[in-house]
Amino acid sequence: MPVSSQHKVYLPAAARDNQYLLAEFVLSDELVARFPSSSTEAPYQALYQDLAQKLFALTDQFGLRNVHFIANGKTPVVRFHQEAYVLQTAEQILFFYNPSYHEAHHSFFDPKVRTRKISLLFLATEQPLRSNAASFHQQVTALLTEFKNRLALANLQIKVRDHQHLTYDLFAKAKGSKESYGFKLRSIDARYKARKCELPKHSALTYVIVNLPLSRRLKEQVAIDLQSTAPYLPLYQHVSEQFVSACQQEKLQHLAVLANGLLPLVRNSQYDKSSHGQELQMIGFDHSIENGQLISDLQGDKLVEMMQLVIFATPADQTDMGYGRFMNEVESALRRFAKAVNLQPERDDLTVRFHQHISYHS
């Protein structure tokens, strides 16, 4: 394979793009004190409405068309969809949208409850998203600067997270989607510098999450004893062993295998510790562990609809050209894994989501 081809990964033309920025700051006593309320029914309504109005007043000025104010402690999750939906659970607020044509401004808060932090969510809308990512980032940070000026709070720190991901079916070609595009998958920092967008000191994460539906054919590969206290553990262990083996052959060593029904949130363990709630699981990787890392959470007493397989990229996986070589290794490992567990490309889906994100305080 020519050297240039090794550093490009060819993804289906139908691969879906998403980008969003999440800006968060602590709701301080100083800010709460500006809006004294005699109402016991909705003591924080005036505060939240004022902050939301300040935010939305700036969106037209800075050309941002899909922006949300969140003050209910829930974690935003963003996914591509042809129709626009916002769904809330106890721990999540899920935004489904198509960047090509969905626009919205919404506020989500409980006027009776003082939230710990305020979250401002900015969804990218300018296609093509990847080419316009730096411009979108600059629009958002310019708005945040003006938003901070209008709040006029001493020592206000806003944490900014820029999330970008590409989602596709590994078996798209077998299902008739023949067209593909080559990606070098450069780091966010490198792409932004090329477009004259200089980032402050920041941390960066790159990883892949694979969604594996547990089909009947997959379940039938392992004997399941329903009289056991953990009847599904052999199935999960079978999948885990095949996945880890396939990855190790490509020297991919920072892995997670999850079968617990929770949504994984990947973080750097130097800053965030692993934890989980009723719906979300934070998993922390430490790329400095040279001999690799396997995080496994297999709840054998519970049958899940889908397992999540995570492959975390280390600095060694990034070349001067980007993460194209890393993704070729990931795809090779996944195809080997798919063969080992007898997935059928024409019928089965193996959804791959390539994540890149950065975070810093402004």
Side-chain angles (χ1 to χ4, degrees):
M1 183 185 291
V3 172
S4 59
S5 297
Q6 291 177 6
H7 294 280
K8 273 190 177 182
V9 60
Y10 287 85
L11 304 183
R16 303 182 299 277
D17 240 350
N18 276 109
Q19 181 188 11
Y20 63 95
L21 265 72
L22 183 63
E24 298 177 323
F25 60 92
V26 174
L27 181 57
S28 66
D29 292 340
E30 180 185 356
L31 191 51
V32 172
R34 291 184 186 178
F35 295 87
S37 174
S38 56
S39 169
T40 55
E41 300 264 331
Y44 301 104
Q45 182 159 337
L47 166 62
Y48 295 151
Q49 286 180 336
D50 182 79
L51 292 175
Q53 287 167 4
K54 281 182 168 64
L55 171 67
F56 297 141
L58 295 170
T59 54
D60 286 342
Q61 179 182 338
F62 291 93
L64 297 164
R65 301 196 299 272
N66 205 325
V67 179
H68 305 273
F69 174 87
I70 303 168
N72 58 12
K74 297 181 182 181
T75 299
V77 176
V78 179
R79 295 291 184 263
F80 180 96
H81 203 282
Q82 292 293 357
E83 297 183 52
Y85 293 101
V86 180
L87 305 174
Q88 294 194 60
T89 67
E91 296 181 0
Q92 303 171 67
I93 179 163
L94 300 101
F95 296 86
F96 297 91
Y97 87 116
N98 186 325
S100 295
Y101 48 80
H102 289 145
E103 302 177 7
H105 290 161
H106 290 303
S107 299
F108 305 91
F109 59 82
D110 184 340
K112 300 180 222 169
V113 178
R114 175 174 171 172
T115 188
R116 186 182 68 83
K117 65 183 178 182
I118 301 294
S119 300
L120 313 177
L121 178 66
F122 304 87
L123 306 183
T125 56
E126 292 295 331
Q127 295 282 20
L129 294 191
R130 202 164 179 85
S131 298
N132 287 302
S135 173
F136 175 65
H137 188 99
Q138 289 174 312
Q139 287 174 284
V140 172
T141 53
L143 180 148
L144 291 175
T145 298
E146 181 58 27
F147 184 74
K148 285 174 69 172
N149 290 340
R150 295 193 180 187
L151 289 185
L153 287 170
N155 304 317
L156 175 63
Q157 274 202 329
I158 297 181
K159 184 165 188 177
V160 178
R161 292 191 178 101
D162 188 333
H163 294 258
Q164 300 173 32
H165 40 81
L166 283 163
T167 307
Y168 63 99
D169 178 9
L170 184 71
F171 302 140
K173 191 172 183 179
K175 296 184 179 71
S177 181
K178 306 296 185 185
E179 190 178 359
S180 63
Y181 291 110
F183 291 85
K184 293 179 183 175
L185 299 178
R186 290 181 298 162
S187 68
I188 292 177
D189 189 35
R191 285 189 282 126
Y192 283 14
K193 278 182 180 175
R195 295 181 181 272
K196 306 286 191 294
C197 175
E198 292 291 335
L199 292 169
K201 185 178 179 181
H202 61 276
S203 62
L205 292 179
T206 302
Y207 56 94
V208 172
I209 294 182
V210 181
N211 290 335
L212 173 69
L214 294 181
S215 65
R216 176 180 296 179
R217 191 173 58 258
L218 191 54
K219 294 173 192 170
E220 289 173 348
Q221 293 178 25
V222 176
I224 295 176
D225 179 8
L226 294 177
Q227 304 305 312
S228 165
T229 55
Y232 306 107
L233 188 59
L235 169 63
Y236 300 155
Q237 289 174 332
H238 169 64
V239 170
S240 178
E241 288 165 6
Q242 298 302 327
F243 172 67
V244 172
S245 174
C247 288
Q248 286 177 340
Q249 291 181 62
E250 295 294 334
K251 297 183 170 53
L252 300 167
Q253 297 181 300
H254 286 72
L255 311 170
V257 183
L258 309 173
N260 54 19
L262 304 180
L263 178 72
L265 304 176
V266 178
R267 298 289 186 262
N268 187 327
S269 62
Q270 293 177 341
Y271 306 104
D272 297 292
K273 301 304 178 187
S274 295
S275 63
H276 66 80
Q278 297 299 311
E279 301 174 10
L280 304 171
Q281 177 175 15
M282 188 178 294
I283 52 177
F285 284 98
D286 183 351
H287 58 68
S288 68
I289 301 176
E290 293 183 6
N291 59 351
Q293 190 176 5
L294 174 61
I295 298 170
S296 180
D297 191 344
L298 310 177
Q299 292 191 5
D301 60 338
K302 177 180 180 181
L303 178 60
V304 298
E305 294 182 5
M306 184 180 300
M307 291 182 67
Q308 274 99 19
L309 314 172
V310 184
I311 305 172
F312 185 80
T314 70
D317 293 312
Q318 181 182 5
T319 70
D320 291 340
M321 299 184 73
Y323 288 94
R325 186 184 69 186
F326 166 74
M327 278 305 291
N328 279 317
E329 293 168 349
V330 167
E331 288 206 350
S332 293
L334 291 178
R335 292 186 191 283
R336 186 178 290 109
F337 162 73
K339 189 173 182 180
V341 297
N342 196 30
L343 295 185
Q344 297 182 2
E346 298 82 5
R347 295 178 55 189
D348 292 321
D349 287 337
L350 197 62
T351 303
V352 180
R353 185 171 290 114
F354 171 75
H355 288 256
Q356 290 177 291
H357 71 79
I358 58 170
S359 63
Y360 60 87
H361 286 92
S362 69

